[in-house]
Amino acid sequence: MKHEIGRRQFLARGWKLGALLVGAAGAWTSWDVLRSRAEAGLGGVVRAARVDEVPAESTIYIRAAQTYLTRHEDEVIALWQRCPHLGCRVAWCESSGQFECPCHGSTFNRIGEYRSGPSPTGLQPFGVGVVEDEVEVDTGAVGRGPPPGAETIDEPVRGPTCIEGA
Ligand code: FES
């Protein structure tokens, strides 16, 4: 009889221990998944900014995603900093209201559409999601830049360029 109770206690403790381990594994997995989304750098999902921090007539630069964010008609747009010509980092020029490439002078409007220079396309976009008012940029897959052609926004160059020859 004494042996019987000991086995029952052993089994009960085993079940409790098993349940505890399963719970701990679930908690660890959840924490690990959430942590990696928040801290990922280029190549992953980057939590970039609050939605209300993204300007409609300018851009903000997100270093962790190597990306410029801007807004167009309530849509947040993420543009990779890499020039489609030979890969230089384009810069946002506040005085002209356009992106300008310091290497060979390509220019792009605020939403990344091609304006001038040797670049074969506009700037390449990243996917954007909004989670609880936070903009998340998925830098795991870059889209194609728009082909040269008519610009879809009416925002002409508004002043002096930042780069000679742009
Ligand atoms: S690398 Fe940008 S124009 Fe050449």
Side-chain angles (χ1 to χ4, degrees), residues 83 85-88 101 103-106 118-119:
C83 179
H85 181 220
L86 293 177
C88 292
C101 181
C103 293
H104 313 101
S106 287
S119 177

Side-chain angles (χ1 to χ4, degrees), residues 6-164:
R7 186 164 42 175
R8 281 188 188 151
Q9 283 180 335
F10 175 78
L11 288 173
R13 287 182 184 158
W15 277 109
K16 287 178 186 171
L17 182 62
L20 190 66
L21 289 174
V22 168
W28 168 261
T29 302
S30 299
W31 180 82
D32 198 41
V33 167
L34 292 173
R35 182 184 62 120
S36 63
R37 286 176 65 83
E39 295 178 2
L42 192 68
V45 175
V46 176
R47 189 167 291 179
R50 289 197 325 270
V51 172
D52 60 8
E53 294 175 322
V54 180
E57 295 178 359
S58 185
T59 71
I60 56 171
Y61 181 67
I62 308 299
R63 182 183 304 276
Q66 296 184 7
T67 297
Y68 292 94
L69 294 181
T70 189
R71 190 194 307 247
H72 179 56
E73 296 177 347
D74 291 333
E75 180 188 1
V76 174
I77 297 171
L79 299 168
W80 193 15
Q81 68 178 15
R82 186 180 184 278
C83 179
H85 181 220
L86 293 177
C88 292
R89 177 185 164 183
V90 299
W92 170 252
C93 177
E94 196 65 42
S95 61
S96 65
Q98 66 180 0
F99 292 100
E100 299 172 357
C101 181
C103 293
H104 313 101
S106 287
T107 61
F108 311 86
N109 70 16
R110 184 176 56 81
I111 62 170
E113 294 170 328
Y114 172 88
R115 271 200 172 141
S116 67
S119 177
T121 68
L123 299 178
Q124 296 171 277
F126 285 128
V128 172
V130 176
V131 179
E132 297 175 352
D133 284 340
E134 293 279 337
V135 177
E136 292 188 344
V137 179
D138 184 356
T139 63
V142 65
R144 288 188 179 180
E151 297 179 45
T152 61
I153 59 172
D154 183 22
E155 294 182 16
V157 177
R158 62 188 179 205
T161 61
C162 298
I163 293 167
E164 186 96 11

